[in-house]
Amino acid sequence: MGKGEQTRDSILDTALDQASLVGLEGLSIGDLAKKTGLSKSGLFAHFGSKEALQVEILRTAVWRFAKIVVAPAQRQAKGIDRLRALFENLLDWTEMGGIRGGCIFLAAAVELDDREGLAREFLVESQLNWLRTLTKAVLRTVREGDLGAGVNSQDFAHEIHGIYLAYHQAKRLLHDPGAKGRALRAFETLIANNR
Amino acid sequence: MGKGEQTRDSILDTALDQASLVGLEGLSIGDLAKKTGLSKSGLFAHFGSKEALQVEILRTAVWRFAKIVVAPAQRQAKGIDRLRALFENLLDWTEMGGIRGGCIFLAAAVELDDREGLAREFLVESQLNWLRTLTKAVLRTVREGDLGAGVNSQDFAHEIHGIYLAYHQAKRLLHDPGAKGRALRAFETLIANNR
DNA sequence: TAATAAAACGAACGGTCGTGCTGTCAATTC
DNA sequence: GAATTGACAGCACGACCGTTCGTTTTATTA
């Protein structure tokens, strides 16, 4: 790995963390340069535009998400175990990934939903991809017999996603200590109601 | 109502809409002045600081939410009808309220969750208040016999909230035309599973 | 209608924003 | 070890940021 690539990666590490705190738009190149010990123009040259930087931040996040949430779950037996692993990994993925400001995909979702451009397009594709992964895991769980044959896998995936969203907000905005317990409970109830 | 108050209200109408599009921080006073036909300093004098303006925007949103979502539901019979009215009003409240950028409480939640200050405090109080309203409606539904006695009203309220969050994201980020149908289905399934 | 108070304006403040351009220094390649 | 490429710094740009000030216009009250 050449020098440039190395610097670029360390910029993106810092940028991801920072963007989770202040948002993709709120993030400033000057501030990021200060935090990484580079000059503003030196940092800027790595990406060429702020939008490109934002896309790369999202790409970094996707990569980390895959490593922390998806990959370990694939090592579980297909069916309910794998689905549960996906969900439980999801709950802690930002902490595991060293991201202080919470799930950047949720932050970006509300920040970009009215904008247009490459960052939005990349985010939409990522989210669709995640929902597909979740849906597929549900479908396999049905096939394994751990969920009833009448379960609509897509609806089910969205319900799991909703539990995550509520959990995330309760934890990060309301500082609700019961958030995680409630999320786990909601997940198990959802499973139990659809056996 | 004096002239000042009148102007202030029309500023807040525009500001609420704009903040829903670009966020509470992304909103700029100069741009807002242009859109309302005022000078920057003239507008600024109404609030004294940007943070105060943000709080007033949230207050405006709360007021409108109460009028569109909560008040009509109170005219329904207590129990399942009222709970359902709350949920269904919730799904369309931003369109009904003439807010183009989606639910500002969700946008503000991810924007403010790492900040501190009056805006964050106001938002937390608002969200807790909404969850209490929802919880109370669930509790009454249990008492009316439309939900089983074993239902944990607080958990139940959070699950409804989660359905809303997933719906909102699917609609606004993914432009999923099936979002509303799925949300209504999820709600009814949740009710049916807890009778 | 005159006196008073409220509302809005215009200009300017110090800062920061994203983005160029030019030069220099260091790393890679021959 | 020289030549070439790439990484980064320094400086400047025009634009816009939130905020303050003193002044002028408009609305309210006596």
Side-chain angles (χ1 to χ4, degrees):
Chain A
M1 183 165 63
K3 175 92 195 306
E5 211 173 333
Q6 198 171 321
T7 307
R8 201 186 121 105
D9 284 5
S10 94
I11 292 172
L12 286 171
D13 279 352
T14 308
L16 172 53
D17 184 54
Q18 194 63 18
S20 79
L21 291 168
V22 300
L24 285 171
E25 209 60 38
L27 183 147
S28 105
I29 290 175
D31 183 61
L32 190 54
K34 212 167 290 174
K35 285 191 164 66
T36 52
L38 290 173
S39 71
K40 214 162 52 138
S41 55
L43 187 148
F44 187 81
H46 280 275
F47 305 99
S49 74
K50 188 175 183 183
E51 187 180 29
L53 168 62
Q54 293 172 334
V55 171
E56 295 312 306
I57 290 174
L58 288 174
R59 197 190 308 280
T60 304
V62 165
W63 199 80
R64 210 172 288 185
F65 184 89
K67 200 178 67 178
I68 294 173
V69 178
V70 181
Q74 303 292 9
R75 290 194 283 273
Q76 297 285 329
K78 60 178 71 167
I80 183 66
D81 289 345
R82 186 176 293 179
L83 182 61
R84 184 179 283 114
L86 272 178
F87 180 73
E88 292 182 355
N89 293 344
L90 177 66
L91 296 187
D92 298 319
W93 90 272
T94 51
E95 285 97 329
M96 295 289 110
I99 300 172
R100 287 176 299 166
C103 185
I104 193 169
F105 301 120
L106 307 191
V110 304
E111 204 175 347
L112 302 178
D113 63 0
D114 288 305
R115 274 188 249 275
E116 49 187 31
L118 297 177
R120 191 204 138 89
E121 287 170 30
F122 185 90
L123 177 66
V124 168
E125 213 41 63
S126 311
Q127 286 294 98
L128 287 176
N129 213 48
W130 163 239
L131 283 170
R132 277 193 291 266
T133 299
L134 211 47
T135 303
K136 218 177 281 181
V138 172
L139 205 57
R140 281 211 201 90
T141 308
V142 172
R143 289 216 190 98
E144 296 291 316
D146 295 327
L147 281 173
V151 166
N152 179 328
S153 60
Q154 211 173 335
D155 282 9
F156 204 89
H158 274 83
E159 289 181 38
I160 291 176
H161 189 57
I163 295 172
Y164 172 61
L165 294 174
Y167 153 76
H168 189 268
Q169 183 170 319
K171 180 176 79 164
R172 297 203 46 83
L173 180 70
L174 308 179
H175 294 159
D176 181 349
K180 188 168 182 182
R182 190 162 43 234
L184 291 170
R185 226 151 49 228
F187 178 81
E188 296 302 336
T189 305
L190 187 62
I191 299 289
N193 281 338
N194 287 277
R195 279 208 192 276
Chain B
M1 182 163 65
K3 175 88 194 305
E5 212 171 332
Q6 197 171 320
T7 306
R8 200 185 120 106
D9 284 4
S10 94
I11 292 173
L12 286 173
D13 279 353
T14 307
L16 173 53
D17 184 53
Q18 194 62 17
S20 80
L21 291 169
V22 300
L24 286 171
E25 208 62 35
L27 183 147
S28 105
I29 290 175
D31 182 63
L32 190 55
K34 213 167 289 175
K35 285 192 164 66
T36 53
L38 289 173
S39 70
K40 211 160 58 140
S41 55
L43 186 147
F44 187 82
H46 281 274
F47 306 98
S49 74
K50 189 174 183 183
E51 186 179 30
L53 168 60
Q54 292 172 333
V55 172
E56 294 313 306
I57 290 174
L58 287 174
R59 197 191 307 281
T60 305
V62 165
W63 200 80
R64 210 172 289 184
F65 184 88
K67 200 178 66 176
I68 294 174
V69 179
V70 181
Q74 303 292 7
R75 290 194 283 276
Q76 296 285 329
K78 61 179 70 168
I80 183 65
D81 289 346
R82 184 175 295 179
L83 183 60
R84 183 178 285 113
L86 273 178
F87 180 73
E88 292 182 356
N89 293 344
L90 177 65
L91 296 187
D92 298 319
W93 90 273
T94 51
E95 284 95 332
M96 295 286 111
I99 300 171
R100 288 175 298 166
C103 185
I104 193 169
F105 300 121
L106 306 191
V110 303
E111 204 176 347
L112 302 178
D113 64 358
D114 288 304
R115 275 188 248 274
E116 48 187 31
L118 297 176
R120 189 202 141 90
E121 288 170 29
F122 186 88
L123 176 67
V124 168
E125 213 42 62
S126 311
Q127 285 294 95
L128 287 175
N129 213 48
W130 163 241
L131 283 170
R132 277 192 291 265
T133 299
L134 210 48
T135 303
K136 219 179 277 180
V138 173
L139 204 57
R140 279 212 202 89
T141 308
V142 172
R143 289 215 191 97
E144 296 291 317
D146 294 325
L147 280 173
V151 167
N152 179 329
S153 60
Q154 210 173 331
D155 282 8
F156 204 90
H158 273 84
E159 289 181 38
I160 291 176
H161 189 55
I163 295 172
Y164 172 60
L165 294 175
Y167 154 75
H168 189 270
Q169 183 170 317
K171 181 176 77 165
R172 296 203 48 82
L173 179 69
L174 307 180
H175 293 158
D176 181 350
K180 188 168 181 182
R182 190 162 43 234
L184 291 169
R185 224 150 52 226
F187 178 80
E188 297 301 338
T189 304
L190 187 62
I191 299 289
N193 282 338
N194 286 278
R195 280 210 192 278

